[in-house]
């Protein structure tokens, strides 16, 4: 009996079944950490080694160029140089581009057509809007680009756009603008990324002989990350796979988390219907995480109805149970996680193997500032650090102009943001005058608007902007600086610019702006905050040093770490309220899949946190633990106190109660929180029975060692603060107290926010 090829030796029985089942359609449900990539590459190697097909007769589709390169390299390792001839291994878009260039004339193109990037696409759409006399400020080209991209992701030509959707842009002109844009693309001999799939679909549908040629060409088809396909990719695959039916799709319905960018989890759920007689192979043996983590993740995701079903397990150790920790607010959350990381570091834990996974990017700021204070090196993956984000830099530029009129770099950044019609010519005139007279740009502008040097329209706009800055500047010593910042962003039109932006990133940018305003509150004034930001942005850890990773849950898919921190598991944040409002149960199930992804990134430790109070939409609110905590199995999860938490700074959650309770609505959370009597009594006395947390305000100046006729607290008096906990009064000046808090150190607070103890 012939010995099986060596490359099959490393496979477990389920993986081997997925590799050796070569005839007919196969769906490989590959759970997190179950060896999906190994199965895909070994299956290709097996097809080549067994002589079932030659390299150029295999179509292998991935979602990223990096995945395609990795797949090619692994196949070469298994079977030698045969993988070099795999000319049909690549992304959906790369393979579609190759097909289109081969048949360009049938698609109304020339073979050397250009593929536009996003910037070129938006420039072209601006031309279309201008030709149709449509106001680009009211109907931005970027918003139209997003709509067109969405239609193309669903496989819709301009003639197929539903009337209701066409009505939603430019007073019903959406579909007509789409058509004009497509005409312009053809004139330019160009396509955008959406066209690569859409035009290939049209090519196949209108030219059966071309489609038949690819049916004969491809003996085997493999698709990676099938759960992330959108409608156009699904239709593309359906057409091309109807030849020999030897199609193998690998994916995980429990990790479909990109619905916001067009992914349809239904594509993987209907596989058996699309390909009758399909065999389903479940990969459930996990090689990444410990037993308790897998049990918790499996129990959580089992609450989803839209799934094919599988349960992860491991042959390894049970390990530590995932922990759930309640904290008082986001500041304590960052402090507790920072202390936990420092303890791990002292025990020799590699910082490269630690990650903090957040639901929304605005959560990152609290961790970044805490880590800078601790001297703990970190990196933000998938985006810039908080104060380096474009919207934050813009907002800071506005505030710098208010605080310092001579800041030319800041003024130049925002003078035409949002668009005010102050173009390069106006700015050049300001620069020339400034250099000639040795004056800052804002001073130059103030002089030039009183002359005829600048045209009437930009002159009036510039005069109004300067008047705004004068008014804002006059409020520096009158209005709390965080309220002033909010006023500046609102009255300048900057906040409204992002409200009108229809891209998926806009909501996150608005959240970041609100987080910026919140970050200002603890500082005595605007100048102090701006100095703090400058120092933070100067912090630069040495290249090559070990760093903690901070990223969103979406950005963490496909990664793994020894220890994973999962903060912010609260209703409204996670699951995110926007997901529930826009997509109902489907949105909830995608959010739960995101929680599952977060848990299964952890190899040895998973640590979940929820805060009792968090700033949501600019307001401090009492928050409820996420319903996903309710979905965790008590036998596999441990409830702990936050490290170093004050008596009033951490929830003492003693048990899981009313677990797995959910009604016909969207899984009504049933987590019941046990809290100590002193906290409960204090909460009531502080006026928290209304359900809204009052935020303590930091005040300027301190008088230590003496009382004040207007104060009811003498130096040495013991007090309790809603946020900072117990402390001793060091001095008083009217209603302003300087307090040495037991845990938080010296703070300046208003006496209305403390109670005697």
């Amino acid at each position: 009996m012939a010995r099986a090829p060596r490359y099959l030796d490393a496979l477990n029985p389920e993986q081997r079944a997925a590799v050796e089942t070569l005839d007919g359609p196969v769906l490989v449900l590959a759970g997190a950490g179950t060896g999906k990539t190994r199965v895909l590459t070994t299956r290709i190697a097996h097809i080549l080694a067994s002589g079932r097909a030659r390299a150029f007769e295999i179509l292998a589709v991935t979602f990223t160029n990096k995945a395609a390169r990795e797949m090619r390299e692994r196949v070469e390792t298994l079977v030698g140089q045969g993988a070099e001839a795999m000319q049909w291994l690549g992304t959906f878009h790369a393979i579609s581009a190759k097909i289109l260039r081969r048949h360009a004339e049938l698609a109304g193109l020339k073979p050397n057509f250009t593929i536009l990037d996003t910037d070129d696409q938006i420039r072209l759409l601006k031309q279309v809007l201008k030709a149709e006399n449509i106001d680009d400020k009211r109907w931005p080209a970027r918003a139209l680009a997003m709509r067109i991209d969405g239609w193309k992701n669903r496989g819709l030509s301009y003639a197929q756009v539903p009337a209701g959707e066409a009505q939603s842009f430019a007073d019903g002109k959406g579909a007509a603008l789409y058509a004009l844009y497509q005409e312009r693309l053809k004139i330019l001999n160009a396509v955008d990324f959406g066209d690569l799939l859409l035009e290939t679909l049209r090519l196949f549908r209108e030219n059966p002989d071309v489609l038949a040629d690819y049916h004969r060409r491809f003996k085997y088809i493999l698709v990676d990350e099938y759960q992330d396909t959108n409608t156009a990719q699904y239709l593309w695959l359906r057409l091309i796979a109807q030849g020999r039916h030897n199609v193998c799709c690998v994916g995980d319905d429990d990790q479909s988390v990109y619905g916001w960018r067009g992914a349809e989890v239904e594509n993987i759920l209907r596989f058996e219907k699309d390909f009758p007689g399909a065999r389903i192979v479940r990969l459930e043996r996990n090689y990444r995480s410990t037993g308790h983590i897998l049990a918790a993740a499996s129990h959580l995701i089992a609450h989803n109805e839209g799934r094919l079903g599988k349960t992860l397990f491991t042959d390894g150790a049970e390990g530590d149970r995932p922990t759930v920790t309640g904290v008082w607010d986001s500041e304590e959350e960052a402090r507790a996680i920072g202390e936990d990381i420092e303890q791990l570091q002292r025990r020799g834990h590699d910082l490269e193997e630690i990650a903090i996974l957040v639901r929304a990017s605005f959560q990152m700021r609290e961790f970044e500032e805490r880590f800078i204070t601790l001297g703990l090196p970190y990196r933000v993956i998938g985006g810039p650090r908080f104060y380096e984000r474009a919207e934050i830099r813009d907002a800071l530029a506005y505030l710098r102009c208010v605080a310092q009129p001579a800041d030319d770099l800041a003024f130049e950044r925002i003078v035409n943001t949002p668009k005010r019609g102050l173009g390069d010519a106006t700015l050049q005139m300001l620069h020339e005058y400034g250099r000639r007279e040795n004056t800052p740009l804002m001073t130059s502008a103030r002089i030039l608007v009183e002359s005829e040097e600048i045209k009437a329209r930009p002159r009036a706009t510039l005069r109004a902007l300067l008047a705004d800055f004068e008014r804002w500047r006059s409020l520096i010593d009158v209005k709390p600086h965080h309220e002033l910042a909010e006023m500046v962003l609102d009255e300048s039109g900057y906040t409204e610019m992002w409200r009108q932006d229809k891209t998926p990133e806009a909501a996150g940018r608005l959240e970041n702006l609100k987080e910026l305003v919140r970050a200002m509150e603890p500082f005595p004034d605007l100048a102090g905050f701006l100095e703090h930001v400058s120092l933070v942005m100067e912090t630069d850890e040495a290249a090559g040093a070990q760093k903690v990773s901070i990223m969103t849950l979406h950005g963490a898919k496909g990664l793994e770490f020894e220890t994973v921190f999962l903060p912010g598991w609260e209703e409204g944040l996670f699951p995110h309220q926007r997901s529930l409002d826009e997509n109902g149960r489907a949105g909830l199930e995608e959010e739960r899949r995101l929680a599952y992804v977060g848990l299964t990134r952890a190899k040895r430790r998973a640590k979940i946190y929820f805060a009792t109070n968090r700033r949501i939409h600019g307001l401090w609110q009492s928050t409820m633990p996420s319903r996903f905590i309710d979905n965790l199995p008590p036998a596999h999860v441990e409830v702990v106190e936050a490290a170093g938490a004050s008596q009033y700074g951490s929830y003492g959650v003693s048990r899981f109660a009313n677990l797995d309770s959910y009604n016909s609505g969207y899984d009504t959370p049933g987590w019941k929180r046990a809290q100590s009597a002193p906290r409960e009594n204090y909460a009531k006395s502080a006026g928290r029975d209304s359900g809204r947390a009052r935020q303590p305000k930091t005040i300027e100046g301190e008088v230590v060692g003496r009382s004040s006729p207007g104060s009811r607290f003498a130096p040495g008096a013991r007090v309790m603060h809603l946020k900072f906990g117990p402390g001793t009064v060091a001095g008083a000046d009217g209603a302003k107290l300087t307090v040495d808090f037991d845990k938080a150190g010296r703070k300046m607070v208003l006496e209305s926010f403390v109670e005697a103890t």
Side-chain angles (χ1 to χ4, degrees):
M1 181 176 177
R3 187 188 184 284
R6 290 185 179 276
Y7 53 74
L8 297 177
D9 291 347
L11 304 179
N12 65 40
E14 298 81 22
Q15 292 173 332
R16 186 159 177 167
V19 166
E20 294 185 308
T21 305
L22 298 181
D23 296 322
V26 178
L27 175 63
V28 180
L29 282 179
T34 58
K36 167 182 69 74
T37 305
R38 172 179 290 180
V39 166
L40 268 172
T41 53
T42 308
R43 184 179 171 90
I44 293 173
H46 190 55
I47 291 170
L48 294 172
S50 62
R52 290 292 194 103
R54 290 167 290 184
F56 57 84
E57 295 173 318
I58 298 173
L59 171 63
V61 187
T62 65
F63 264 80
T64 66
N65 292 314
K66 179 182 177 182
R69 287 194 301 271
E70 182 181 351
M71 191 178 296
R72 189 185 303 276
E73 289 167 2
R74 289 202 186 190
V75 173
E76 286 180 357
T77 300
L78 292 173
V79 298
Q81 300 302 309
E84 289 182 350
M86 291 192 67
Q87 56 186 282
W88 296 102
L89 189 162
T91 65
F92 278 99
H93 292 95
I95 292 169
S96 294
K98 184 178 292 189
I99 292 172
L100 269 185
R101 292 198 190 279
R102 287 179 168 224
H103 310 281
E105 289 79 5
L106 294 176
L109 296 163
K110 297 175 183 176
N112 64 340
F113 61 79
T114 300
I115 302 172
L116 299 187
D117 61 19
T118 302
D119 289 343
D120 289 335
Q121 181 186 14
I122 290 171
R123 260 206 317 275
L124 183 56
L125 283 170
K126 283 183 178 179
Q127 295 174 15
V128 171
L129 290 170
K130 186 175 181 179
E132 293 299 300
N133 295 314
I134 293 173
D135 184 2
D136 184 47
K137 292 181 181 177
R138 185 180 178 192
W139 304 104
R142 187 174 295 275
L144 179 58
M146 291 300 301
R147 287 175 189 263
I148 291 175
D149 190 50
W151 289 329
K152 290 182 177 181
N153 285 342
R154 289 157 58 195
L156 300 175
S157 68
Y158 54 79
Q160 297 170 313
V161 173
E165 294 184 32
Q167 290 291 326
S168 66
F169 190 87
D171 300 322
K173 297 180 181 177
L177 292 169
Y178 180 6
L180 291 170
Y181 169 64
Q182 292 303 114
E183 288 178 16
R184 289 285 295 149
L185 284 172
K186 284 296 195 297
I187 292 171
L188 296 173
N189 189 36
V191 297
D192 60 24
F193 271 84
D195 281 327
L196 293 174
L197 285 161
L198 196 63
E199 290 292 340
T200 306
L201 278 174
R202 188 167 67 84
L203 173 72
F204 287 159
R205 286 167 173 162
E206 295 178 0
N207 300 276
D209 55 326
V210 173
L211 180 59
D213 178 58
Y214 287 98
H215 286 166
R216 289 188 293 270
R217 180 187 303 269
F218 299 134
K219 292 185 177 180
Y220 288 93
I221 299 172
L222 299 93
V223 182
D224 191 12
E225 303 285 9
Y226 189 55
Q227 79 281 349
D228 291 336
T229 52
N230 61 35
T231 301
Q233 291 162 339
Y234 164 77
L235 294 172
W236 183 96
L237 178 67
R238 282 288 312 279
L239 284 173
I240 215 165
Q242 291 305 318
R244 302 173 187 268
H245 294 276
N246 290 332
V247 57
C248 175
C249 292
V250 180
D252 184 0
D253 52 329
D254 292 333
Q255 294 190 72
S256 179
V257 295
Y258 296 125
W260 50 276
R261 68 183 189 196
E264 292 280 354
V265 69
E266 290 297 323
N267 294 347
I268 194 170
L269 298 180
R270 68 163 72 97
F271 187 87
E272 288 179 285
K273 182 179 179 182
D274 291 337
F275 299 98
R279 177 173 179 182
I280 296 183
V281 179
R282 287 175 169 82
L283 304 184
E284 299 171 303
R285 190 186 308 266
N286 180 281
Y287 294 96
R288 174 189 299 157
S289 306
T290 57
H292 282 307
I293 292 173
L294 295 179
S298 295
H299 197 277
L300 169 75
I301 200 62
H303 288 76
N304 271 10
E305 295 177 2
R307 63 191 297 262
L308 295 170
K310 62 184 175 306
T311 302
L312 298 182
F313 68 92
T314 179
D315 295 330
E318 288 292 285
D320 295 338
R321 289 186 292 171
T323 60
V324 176
T325 305
V327 294
W328 186 236
D329 60 11
S330 57
E331 183 179 325
E332 184 177 306
E333 181 180 63
R335 185 167 63 248
I337 289 176
E339 290 173 1
D340 205 346
I341 292 175
E342 286 188 313
Q343 289 181 14
L344 290 170
Q345 189 180 24
R346 283 193 290 270
R347 297 203 300 263
H349 197 302
D350 189 342
L351 293 183
E352 293 288 315
E353 285 291 333
I354 298 176
I356 299 173
L357 310 183
V358 299
R359 175 61 182 85
S361 61
F362 78 85
Q363 293 173 258
M364 296 181 183
R365 184 201 62 85
E366 203 91 55
F367 294 105
E368 291 187 52
E369 296 208 354
R370 184 63 187 166
F371 290 175
I372 289 168
T373 300
L374 294 174
L376 197 63
Y378 72 93
R379 68 168 64 87
V380 173
I381 294 180
R385 296 188 296 181
F386 182 82
Y387 289 114
E388 294 171 348
R389 297 176 186 275
E391 66 275 16
I392 300 302
R393 283 185 176 273
D394 288 344
L396 290 171
Y398 270 105
L399 299 179
R400 284 162 54 190
C401 286
V402 172
Q404 175 50 268
D407 193 331
D408 282 359
L409 292 177
F411 185 71
E412 187 172 0
R413 182 180 182 97
I414 52 84
V415 68
N416 201 39
T417 304
K419 300 293 185 185
R420 300 185 175 92
L422 299 174
D424 293 340
T426 302
L427 193 57
Q428 183 178 350
M429 191 175 297
L430 297 181
H431 273 297
E432 289 174 351
Y433 184 88
R435 284 193 295 269
R436 189 168 63 250
E437 301 297 329
N438 196 28
T439 60
L441 287 179
M442 201 173 285
T443 303
S444 301
R446 194 173 295 111
I447 295 169
L448 288 174
V449 295
E450 301 305 326
S451 71
E452 301 294 325
E453 299 289 337
I454 302 176
K455 293 180 181 179
R457 186 171 179 180
R459 186 166 73 244
T461 301
L462 196 53
R463 182 182 287 115
L465 180 62
L466 292 171
D468 283 341
F469 274 112
E470 286 296 329
R471 179 166 48 81
W472 296 329
R473 200 170 293 121
S474 70
L475 297 173
I476 286 180
D477 296 325
V478 179
K479 201 172 185 65
H481 56 285
H482 62 280
E483 293 181 14
L484 177 60
E486 198 166 15
M487 174 188 287
V488 170
L489 295 176
D490 286 343
E491 294 182 357
S492 67
Y494 190 76
T495 303
E496 185 62 22
M497 179 186 80
W498 287 116
R499 286 198 189 105
Q500 295 300 322
D501 191 288
K502 304 304 180 185
T503 62
E505 297 83 12
R509 294 185 191 275
L510 286 168
E511 287 180 338
N512 288 340
L513 291 173
K514 290 170 185 171
E515 178 66 14
L516 175 68
V517 172
R518 187 181 88 77
M520 298 175 69
E521 292 186 11
F523 293 87
D525 51 32
L526 178 59
F529 173 71
L530 292 175
E531 180 178 312
H532 164 77
V533 172
S534 298
L535 295 174
V536 166
M537 294 181 72
E538 281 297 313
T539 303
D540 185 20
E541 297 295 336
Q546 289 187 10
K547 298 176 184 179
V548 176
S549 296
I550 307 175
M551 69 190 84
T552 63
L553 285 158
H554 284 100
K557 189 167 173 289
L559 302 178
E560 59 182 45
F561 302 89
E562 289 286 315
T563 301
V564 170
F565 292 89
L566 299 162
W569 280 43
E570 300 130 33
E571 287 297 303
L573 177 56
F574 193 39
H576 203 288
Q577 192 61 45
R578 188 170 62 247
S579 259
L580 303 184
D581 292 344
E582 294 178 358
N583 301 301
R585 181 170 289 279
L588 172 63
E589 296 212 344
E590 178 157 324
E591 291 285 301
R592 189 179 281 113
R593 291 194 290 270
L594 201 53
Y596 171 84
V597 166
L599 277 170
T600 54
R601 298 312 92 196
K603 293 193 278 189
R604 294 180 59 193
R605 300 177 194 85
K607 296 174 177 286
I608 297 166
Y609 285 76
F610 68 87
T612 311
N613 304 284
R614 195 177 292 273
R615 179 69 68 84
I616 300 174
H617 303 307
L619 297 172
W620 278 99
Q621 297 182 15
S622 294
T623 54
M624 182 180 292
S626 171
R627 67 194 74 192
F628 299 154
I629 295 178
D630 235 11
N631 296 159
L632 299 172
H636 297 282
V637 178
E638 179 183 1
V639 181
V640 301
E641 294 283 352
S646 66
Q647 177 187 358
Y648 295 91
S650 176
Y651 259 144
V653 185
S654 61
R655 64 187 177 91
F656 288 85
N658 197 23
L659 282 163
D660 300 336
S661 65
Y662 58 98
N663 60 17
S664 58
Y666 301 136
D667 291 4
T668 302
W671 177 271
K672 304 298 183 184
R673 296 168 291 182
Q675 49 183 319
S676 63
R679 170 192 284 279
E680 186 175 57
N681 295 336
Y682 175 70
K684 290 180 179 177
S685 69
R688 286 193 47 78
D689 48 349
S690 65
R692 173 71 52 83
R694 292 188 297 173
Q695 169 65 359
K697 297 180 182 295
T698 303
I699 60 175
E700 187 175 4
E702 61 176 298
V703 180
V704 181
R706 68 176 176 85
S707 61
S708 167
S711 174
R712 57 193 176 98
F713 296 105
R718 291 289 291 173
V719 295
M720 175 60 65
H721 189 279
L722 186 62
K723 179 176 179 181
F724 300 127
T728 303
V729 175
D733 181 12
K736 304 174 182 179
L737 300 180
T738 298
V739 182
D740 291 323
F741 290 104
D742 297 354
K743 296 291 185 181
R746 176 162 290 186
K747 302 283 185 183
M748 292 168 286
V749 299
L750 295 175
E751 71 167 27
S752 59
F753 286 89
V754 301
E755 292 289 330
T757 59

